[in-house]
Amino acid sequence: MEDKKIWKKFLIKSLAVSITLLILVAALVIYVDPMFHFHSPRTGVSYILDNERYQNNGILKNYDYDALVTGTSMSENFKTTTVDRLFGTRSVKAAYAGGYFKEIGDAEKAALQNNPDLKMVIRSVDMSFIMTESDYINPAASYPHYLMDSDPFNDDIYVFNADILFEYVNAELIRTAKKIPADTFDDYMSFAEKDENSGPGYVLLFVEDFEAPEEQKGLDESEREMLISNIRANLTANPAAYPGTEFYYFIPPYSIADWWQTYVSKGRLDAYIETMTIVTEELLKYDNVHVFCFYDDTDLVTDLYNYTDSCHYVSSVSDMILEKMAAGENELTKDNYKKYYEDLRDFYYEFDYPSVIPGAVFK
């Protein structure tokens, strides 16, 4: 009988200790909140910014800002300090590497819904991600829905998460004690440290030698319908719903190697030009949208030392894009966009691809 009492007391004490520990863990995670799910950053805490799909939603909901930098990895090297200097803003960066139009459009919408003071958005508009159904998202990306919804009953996945506790909360408290500064949006998901790995040796590593077909085809009707549906669902819907916000949308300048690999060698150069033309036409229906394209900077696009692979440009190009947008350069308008794309087609059709891409054969 006495043994039963001892075991009963032990179980009660163990249960009480376990519950107390769980409460302390939850309280600590909620207080620090490394994913910003519950609140904005605590003053003085050295936060780690390194996980965009886990942290972006909290940033969009809880940070204090009036400008948003978003898009694919083509926006990851943008510095918010440069944005703020050029545009007079208080910006945050929430990019999505490999993000398709729905994911980025939804993020943009979350920022607009949660921040009535949002006055501008800067967003990359990548043609390589646009030819999909309007609800398509990247199947290879992580989507922590418990951090993206408003359901309090699944927050236990976050507050009782060992990775969150030890890799973030514990690490951030140690950094704070050591007086290590919190990460900034300039560095958030930036891969600028790879700038030295640029040039033909890196860009052409996975570019194949093709013989381009004689005919360069445009879009077929089904592609055109899918494209317009995606644009209207995930690109122009937000400017239409928020006319008081200015949207700076830019088509990122992929390298000449990507033009060859993705379009010209597959007989899709006309389809590429037509895609950009339709995107631009749809965007220019809205007075609060500014459209920029940098493919007419042919010295940039054809110099592989500006790239770390066939798509990603070095950080100096990111700085240049922001500076030109702030100055209103390379902006497409209703008056100039048709001629602009006609000239692009002429240049990229006539370009001497083998001079940059050994083995390329273009009839």
Side-chain angles (χ1 to χ4, degrees), residues 7-231:
W7 275 108
K8 185 177 181 180
K9 288 180 181 179
F10 174 76
L11 290 173
I12 291 172
K13 287 181 179 179
S14 297
L15 183 61
V17 169
S18 297
I19 292 173
T20 301
L21 288 173
L22 288 173
I23 292 172
L24 289 174
V25 166
L28 187 59
V29 171
I30 292 170
Y31 177 81
V32 177
D33 195 11
M35 303 299 150
F36 319 112
H37 183 54
F38 299 108
H39 56 75
S40 58
R42 300 282 184 188
T43 302
V45 175
S46 179
Y47 283 95
I48 298 168
L49 293 176
D50 70 351
N51 199 331
E52 55 196 10
R53 283 186 169 81
Y54 281 76
Q55 293 179 307
N56 279 355
N57 190 255
I59 290 168
L60 297 175
K61 289 192 303 183
N62 293 315
Y63 267 67
D64 178 24
Y65 60 99
D66 62 10
L68 169 67
V69 175
T70 189
T72 63
S73 54
M74 299 299 153
S75 298
E76 286 181 328
N77 279 344
F78 284 167
K79 301 180 182 70
T80 55
T81 53
T82 301
V83 172
D84 296 344
R85 173 177 59 81
L86 292 171
F87 293 94
T89 54
R90 292 177 291 104
S91 61
V92 296
K93 181 170 65 177
Y96 297 82
Y100 284 77
F101 275 60
K102 176 173 174 52
E103 181 180 16
I104 297 170
D106 286 349
E108 191 181 63
K109 184 177 180 180
L112 291 159
Q113 290 177 332
N114 286 280
N115 193 338
D117 296 325
L118 190 64
K119 65 182 185 181
M120 73 174 296
V121 173
I122 297 173
R123 172 180 173 178
S124 65
V125 180
D126 298 60
M127 298 302 104
S128 57
F129 291 106
I130 200 169
M131 197 60 70
T132 66
E133 298 293 340
S134 58
D135 60 351
Y136 186 82
I137 59 175
N138 191 337
S142 299
Y143 296 99
H145 295 290
Y146 59 91
L147 292 173
M148 305 166 99
D149 60 29
S150 56
D151 181 4
F153 296 104
N154 62 12
D155 287 344
D156 60 303
I157 303 173
Y158 174 50
V159 297
F160 298 119
N161 188 311
D163 290 337
I164 295 294
L165 179 62
F166 293 107
E167 293 183 23
Y168 285 93
V169 174
N170 185 56
E172 288 169 350
L173 293 177
I174 291 172
R175 281 162 52 109
T176 302
K178 292 181 177 181
K179 301 188 183 305
I180 298 173
D183 292 344
T184 70
F185 284 113
D186 280 5
D187 299 321
Y188 184 30
M189 302 310 297
S190 172
F191 50 90
E193 68 276 2
K194 297 179 182 178
D195 278 2
E196 66 272 13
N197 298 334
S198 64
Y202 295 94
V203 175
L204 299 178
L205 194 59
F206 300 105
V207 174
E208 299 180 27
D209 299 336
F210 291 113
E211 180 175 320
E214 293 185 20
E215 183 181 6
Q216 294 291 320
K217 296 181 179 180
L219 300 174
D220 62 34
E221 192 55 37
S222 63
E223 289 175 323
R224 201 172 289 113
E225 290 175 0
M226 181 168 61
L227 172 63
I228 292 174
S229 176
N230 199 2
I231 292 169

